[in-house]
Amino acid sequence: MSFKLFDKLSQDFSELLNDRKEYNVIIEVDKEENKKSFTTHSVVLRYRSPYFDKELENATTNENHIKTIIKPNISAQIFEIILKYIYSGIVNIEDMDTKTIYELMVNANELELKELSITLESYLIESKASWLRTNFVYHSLFDNSFDSNEFKGLKKFYNDIIVKHPNLIFESEDFSSLQETALISLLKRNDLKVDEIKIWDYVIKWGIGQNPTLPKNLEEWSSKNFKALKITLQQCLPLIRYFSIPGEDIWKKVKPYKKILEKQLWDDLTQYFMFPNQPVKSPILPARTRTLNSRIISTLILPSRSNSTRTTSSRDSPSKTTSTPKFPFPTIIPSKTISTPKLPFSFIINREHVAKLSSWIDRKSTIYSLENIPYEFQLILRGSRDGFHPKTFWKMCNGHAGTIVLAKVATTDEIVGGYNPLAWDNSTTGTYMKTNDSFIFSLKNGNIQNSILSRINDPSKALFYSKSDHQNSYGPYFGYTEFLMELNVSNFTQKQQCLCCHFSSCHAYKRRIRTTNERFSIVEYEVFKIIKNQKTNSKLNN
């Protein structure tokens, strides 16, 4: 048993902050008449803040062995609160106005006080939503000084508003000054309530806004002008759902900027609208919710196979012939229907991966061909759709047997995962599950050739099913910790807590699937139920 007596510890360290006898660091904050100096202790700063740890390495020491750090961008009022937190772990916001709380969060983030920053961010979202809506600080969250992974909760809060009310951003006067990362975060949303051709228009408008020297008249653009726009939009263009744009709009609005598109994409668009049932090489992103409307639910009328000229009928002028127009896309007639592009079955893997994983499930020495895959992968859970909290995993996967878990690692884009032939059970008291047929794997950035398969070494420790009060922290758990999705914040994407640890002395699976035992966060994960494909199996058996 251990007694955790933090109150007295916090109080004693608060007293240390006021003790000027053995200080060795001076921190100057604020500007001009508001400038103020605080005496501090390097050993406390270094262990509480990675930011100050790095600053102290570079700070010069005077003849009295005192180091000075200058932070003019932080107000004295805010820094006094931060310093008290560093020494005592206490922050009192009871009488603090919301604007100050927001500034405190931003400054805490700058000083790499993640615990404080994340706590304040959650508080603002949960308790000060009305202030956030009134004081639209969206642009500032994407400041270039911030890491892309910072303030994810607030970014999502605002993006959830913007997808419903897109004019707040797209029709605003300062739209062209929007940070690229902010625009990209919106373009990635499947639920953005804007017609895709309008999104294309906004993206072009934003790109031109970043290049003010481009000619006003598009007809005057040179190849160099188009190249400049293409470079500016290189991160945005792949996020456009081109195959959800009606053919007439492709012709009128996209074709004038054809030079900024990849040749393969343009060829595929041409083919798609002429021969919609033929496969294309370019990825087809899922259609946004808004774009499944009457403008797209239409049919394609192909030109006849006759020669480019035809003789007119007797009702035409006998001396005239008419040429068939050579448009890259056929005419669209709104009254009929076609099927819209299919949503991808996975945001992480493709059909080749399915063939590979199916072969592993059946312990085949060769990989199934794409035509003879004996299984269908039925989606149960997708993090970006259903949420990244582990409780969601245990709720949605409970009772499902024969499942594959896939996780895309942040920063490296590795794909790691595991196969569980048993049924997930969220009602256990915390127990290891025994099976010889489970396995874990890595697809190494999605590359089939570099994939790693790790089969069972200790069947009695194949999987661990967490008890209910631990299901807020632990998701799928393979082996000892050879593949574990864990957290102590609100979701798997927010903190580096997932594991693929492989210890030489104790392991449930034979091979390590990552080269490091370091923890990681993820950007997406999916769980699929593996179902026998009756048609394919009948074909294989015959």
Side-chain angles (χ1 to χ4, degrees):
M1 177 182 288
S2 61
F3 297 100
K4 299 180 180 181
L5 309 175
F6 292 134
D7 289 347
K8 186 66 166 64
L9 176 67
S10 175
Q11 182 181 343
D12 290 344
F13 266 86
S14 294
E15 294 300 322
L16 176 62
L17 177 58
N18 300 320
D19 186 353
R20 295 176 59 89
K21 293 178 183 177
E22 296 185 8
Y23 75 88
N24 60 351
V25 180
I26 294 175
I27 302 177
E28 294 181 357
V29 300
D30 225 326
K31 299 174 183 176
E32 299 172 356
E33 69 274 4
N34 296 320
K35 187 180 294 183
K36 187 173 180 179
S37 297
F38 295 85
T39 57
T40 60
H41 307 79
S42 62
V43 66
V44 177
L45 296 176
R46 286 180 57 236
Y47 281 93
R48 291 286 280 159
S49 165
Y51 174 87
F52 282 124
D53 187 30
K54 289 175 281 191
E55 286 293 302
L56 288 168
E57 286 290 327
N58 301 320
T60 56
T61 307
N62 66 13
E63 65 276 7
N64 296 319
H65 306 289
I66 305 295
K67 292 186 175 183
T68 301
I69 297 174
I70 301 174
K71 295 294 295 177
N73 63 312
I74 301 180
S75 72
Q77 176 198 6
I78 294 288
F79 192 72
E80 191 167 1
I81 299 168
I82 287 175
L83 209 52
K84 183 175 181 180
Y85 162 76
I86 288 175
Y87 276 79
S88 69
I90 296 173
V91 177
N92 185 356
I93 60 172
E94 186 175 351
D95 298 320
M96 196 180 297
D97 65 88
T98 309
K99 183 176 185 293
T100 303
I101 296 173
Y102 176 79
E103 292 173 356
L104 177 60
M105 178 198 70
V106 172
N107 291 144
N109 179 78
E110 179 186 350
L111 300 178
E112 298 183 50
L113 301 169
K114 297 298 183 184
E115 177 190 47
L116 178 56
S117 176
I118 291 172
T119 299
L120 293 173
E121 180 183 16
S122 297
Y123 173 78
L124 287 169
I125 294 169
E126 294 167 8
S127 304
K128 300 295 180 181
S130 60
W131 184 91
L132 291 172
R133 294 188 189 97
T134 305
N135 299 269
F136 203 73
V137 295
Y138 182 76
H139 288 68
S140 65
L141 295 173
F142 292 89
D143 188 279
N144 286 330
S145 62
F146 297 148
D147 185 270
S148 60
N149 291 319
E150 292 168 347
F151 305 125
K152 280 189 173 181
L154 278 172
K155 289 173 181 176
K156 183 180 184 302
F157 173 87
Y158 279 117
N159 279 346
D160 286 346
I161 294 173
I162 293 169
V163 295
K164 297 175 183 176
H165 308 283
N167 287 354
L168 287 173
I169 287 295
F170 294 113
E171 297 295 338
S172 64
E173 293 181 1
D174 56 352
F175 170 65
S176 293
S177 65
L178 187 68
Q179 292 289 343
E180 182 183 34
T181 50
L183 179 59
I184 289 172
S185 74
L186 289 171
L187 295 178
K188 287 181 177 179
R189 297 285 297 243
N190 292 330
D191 53 353
L192 186 58
K193 290 180 169 44
V194 185
D195 286 339
E196 201 65 30
I197 190 58
K198 292 205 70 174
I199 293 175
W200 166 265
D201 289 340
Y202 289 133
V203 168
I204 293 297
K205 176 183 176 181
W206 182 86
I208 293 174
Q210 313 313 303
N211 296 273
T213 60
L214 291 175
K216 300 291 184 184
N217 188 346
L218 188 62
E219 294 179 358
E220 299 175 4
W221 281 30
S222 64
S223 296
K224 186 177 179 180
N225 296 144
F226 282 106
K227 184 177 181 181
L229 183 62
K230 182 176 181 178
I231 292 172
T232 299
L233 297 178
Q234 59 185 327
Q235 301 297 321
C236 299
L237 292 175
L239 302 175
I240 302 292
R241 319 299 167 93
Y242 298 96
F243 296 91
S244 295
I245 301 176
E248 58 186 310
D249 287 332
I250 291 285
W251 174 252
K252 292 177 182 177
K253 295 192 172 185
V254 179
K255 183 178 179 292
Y257 296 94
K258 172 183 172 183
K259 291 181 180 179
I260 72 172
L261 301 179
E262 297 299 324
K263 183 179 183 302
Q264 183 63 57
L265 173 60
W266 185 255
D267 290 346
D268 284 341
L269 281 170
T270 304
Q271 175 187 306
Y272 177 79
F273 282 98
M274 296 184 71
F275 309 105
N277 294 322
Q278 294 297 314
V280 297
K281 295 180 180 178
S282 301
I284 299 181
L285 298 179
R288 301 181 208 272
T289 305
R290 175 77 176 193
T291 58
L292 296 177
N293 57 30
S294 59
R295 299 184 67 211
I296 291 180
I297 301 176
S298 54
T299 193
L300 303 175
I301 306 300
L302 299 178
S304 67
R305 296 183 182 274
S306 59
N307 295 331
S308 60
T309 60
R310 65 174 177 83
T311 306
T312 57
S313 68
S314 57
R315 286 173 294 179
D316 296 322
S317 171
S319 61
K320 293 182 179 180
T321 60
T322 306
S323 298
T324 303
K326 297 182 179 180
F327 296 135
F329 306 110
T331 305
I332 294 183
I333 309 298
S335 59
K336 308 226 178 148
T337 60
I338 60 167
S339 58
T340 54
K342 288 184 178 180
L343 299 178
F345 78 99
S346 171
F347 289 177
I348 300 177
I349 59 171
N350 56 34
R351 291 284 293 172
E352 290 181 343
H353 296 128
V354 170
K356 185 82 167 182
L357 293 167
S358 298
S359 303
W360 287 345
I361 292 171
D362 287 348
R363 296 180 180 269
K364 295 289 186 181
S365 57
T366 57
I367 302 175
Y368 285 118
S369 68
L370 298 184
E371 295 76 26
N372 293 319
I373 299 174
Y375 298 107
E376 294 179 7
F377 280 38
Q378 183 182 87
L379 184 68
I380 301 173
L381 166 62
R382 174 175 289 143
S384 60
R385 182 191 70 182
D386 305 305
F388 289 91
H389 197 284
K391 199 75 173 179
T392 303
F393 167 81
W394 288 107
K395 180 180 179 181
M396 297 187 68
C397 297
N398 182 52
H400 287 289
T403 56
I404 276 187
V405 179
L406 296 158
K408 194 168 186 179
V409 180
T411 70
T412 69
D413 277 344
E414 293 171 87
I415 300 169
V416 294
Y419 170 67
N420 178 13
L422 308 175
W424 295 102
D425 186 354
N426 63 13
S427 63
T428 71
T429 56
T431 183
Y432 273 104
M433 306 297 292
K434 181 178 180 179
T435 176
N436 285 300
D437 296 324
S438 64
F439 57 83
I440 57 175
F441 56 88
S442 169
L443 299 178
K444 290 290 183 182
N445 300 323
N447 190 328
I448 286 287
Q449 285 70 34
N450 296 330
S451 57
I452 297 172
L453 167 65
S454 182
R455 293 203 180 273
I456 200 72
N457 178 63
D458 181 357
S460 67
K461 298 292 190 294
L463 296 112
F464 185 78
Y465 289 1
S466 302
K467 59 183 179 180
S468 59
D469 57 342
H470 286 177
Q471 290 170 14
N472 284 318
S473 299
Y474 298 98
Y477 196 141
F478 288 77
Y480 292 95
T481 51
E482 282 97 326
F483 174 42
L484 163 63
M485 293 175 65
E486 179 188 356
L487 63 81
N488 62 9
V489 287
S490 62
N491 70 60
F492 295 123
T493 66
Q494 287 193 359
K495 196 168 184 179
Q496 295 180 336
Q497 288 240 277
C498 299
L499 279 171
C500 287
C501 275
H502 192 279
F503 302 103
S504 57
S505 59
C506 182
H507 50 268
Y509 292 86
K510 294 178 181 179
R511 299 179 64 188
R512 63 165 62 241
I513 60 173
R514 297 193 80 215
T515 57
T516 174
N517 284 341
E518 291 183 359
R519 292 177 179 267
F520 59 92
S521 55
I522 65 172
V523 293
E524 180 66 283
Y525 93 109
E526 297 172 332
V527 182
F528 291 95
K529 185 177 180 66
I530 312 305
I531 301 174
K532 283 282 187 180
N533 187 325
Q534 299 301 324
K535 291 183 179 179
T536 303
N537 278 281
S538 174
K539 180 180 176 182
L540 290 173
N541 291 334
N542 292 331

